[in-house]
Amino acid sequence: MANEIYDSTWWGNTIDTASSIGTSTDMIQGQFNMNDRQEVEAVKCLADTIHKIGLQNI
Amino acid sequence: MAKPKLALIPATQGSKLYSVLPADGVGDFNFSRNTVATRINKDGLIETVAVGKSRLNYPLIDGVVNGCPSHLLEPSRTNLITYSNNFDGTNMINSAIITEFNTTETLSPEGINNASKLTANSAFQRYSFFPTAGDNVDVSCSVFAKKGSASIFSTLIIDKSGQPISTKFDLLNGVIVEGGGSIEDYGNGWYKCSFSGSTSSGATALQIRPFSHGSGFENGWTGSNYIYGFGASLEQGSYATSYIPTSGSTVTRSAETANGAGDASTFNDSEGVLMAEISALTNSGGKWISLSNGSTSQRISFANENGNIRVYIFNGVVIWDYIYYNINTITSNKISLKYKSGDYSLFINGFKINTSTSSLVASGIDSLQFNSGGGSGNFEGNTKQIQYFDTALNDSDLETITSWTSFTDMANGQTYSIK
């Protein structure tokens, strides 16, 4: 189920990668704010890259 | 490792290039393009993008989308073919080819039935277009073609002296069999066939010879042999760009710019790191990315320049000017430039390339630009990511952010096909 959410929805991607971002709430907030400004098309790409950046930051 | 203060990850199209960090949107780039343009969408199809809207362009590997999109920024170009998708229209001559428009036998690279079936009728088959190009200019041709019962396809630019520039493409194996150029797999059997040349006395005709079987560029097929064609372009320039549809007149796609990300509070004059994952469209000219004060008088910048990567840091005097030659800028590279008094360094693809111990720094940095800092030297190419850190990272961190995380990651990032 988690993978289905991860692959198909904006919320799922962001939530699924949230643990890797740790306490960097602005990385989560940044994704939601960006989607508010303009609907995100490459949802998984954005979440995956944030996930990588988050891992570097641990 | 420190967290980036600004991060541009291509994920959406709109009136800006949207940065995910800072979260408040101050890191968005102002985007400009005064015309429509086309892109490869997430389904691998050519799609028109509205005026003023940035483009997410998806990479094709072996004809299918593989990997995340880039922001595509291109220069202004004009398609000199007046009916780009009409192989039997005005301002051209059809010699001995039966043209079936909007064939239902195949979908075009746009995913609809607007390709043409081109069937040999008798000997010496060719379409001749007569675009108006200046003398002594570089010209680039591109045509989409798909194998039918025939599979060898040629294009020729014939200049005023009658001297042809020609390339022959094999649509069965996806290779060039004679001449120079490129053949790109667009999926579903379609190839974008491109080539470029310089004409000493100006191009007067573009010929498409769909049935160039045999030696040379003359026709060899007869009878009912056929192939499929779509979207012809002739541009004045040394390389072909994204498809520019026309329907009755030449059409210009205007230049794209993206500038003005961040403000004075985003950037640290004293130290920081600018990282970009980028590829160039050509090995000529200087295509810059800069931290600046809005002009070139204070700038921390690097560029894809004439097939090399150049660093240029300036605050009234040159702080660091360095060119790295041993690289291919057409493929994607991960570049990091660290700046700090006495501690400058350049990392590319995981390697420390060079350093400087200059004690000088630029000041008044308040924006990140896809140009040389003040409006010229616009970046033209693909951008996979930009990160800005407001602290000077150590070598280990710089190696990490410029490295590929796996062989597959590297291959896909550079659009290599893994066999």
Side-chain angles (χ1 to χ4, degrees), chain A residues 24 26-27 30-31 33-34 37-42 45-46 49-50 52-53 56-57, chain B residues 1-4 9 11-13 18-21 23 25 28 39 56 58 68-69 401:
Chain A
S24 298
D26 56 342
M27 287 195 182
Q31 294 178 73
N33 289 358
M34 186 171 152
R37 299 199 299 282
Q38 183 69 43
E39 184 177 5
V40 172
E41 175 182 299
C45 289
L46 178 62
T49 307
I50 285 292
K52 284 182 185 175
I53 292 173
Q56 290 170 3
N57 196 32
Chain B
M1 184 189 303
K3 185 179 60 182
I9 301 164
T12 188
Q13 300 186 142
Y18 296 91
S19 296
V20 66
L21 295 176
D28 293 348
R39 67 155 177 165
L56 286 181
Y58 288 75
C68 291
I401 63 171

Side-chain angles (χ1 to χ4, degrees), chain B residues 34 47 106 118 142 190 195-196 206 225 255 266 268 369 396 404 419:
Chain B
N34 298 324
E47 178 182 89
T106 185
L118 319 175
S142 63
W190 286 100
F195 74 108
S196 303
L206 166 66
N225 277 295
T266 309
N268 182 352
Q369 328 270 11
S396 175
W404 308 96
K419 301 292 185 184

Side-chain angles (χ1 to χ4, degrees), chain B residues 384-398:
Chain B
K384 296 289 289 269
Q385 62 171 316
I386 298 272
Q387 294 186 48
Y388 169 76
F389 301 81
D390 62 357
T391 58
L393 304 180
N394 61 36
D395 283 1
S396 175
D397 290 342
L398 291 166

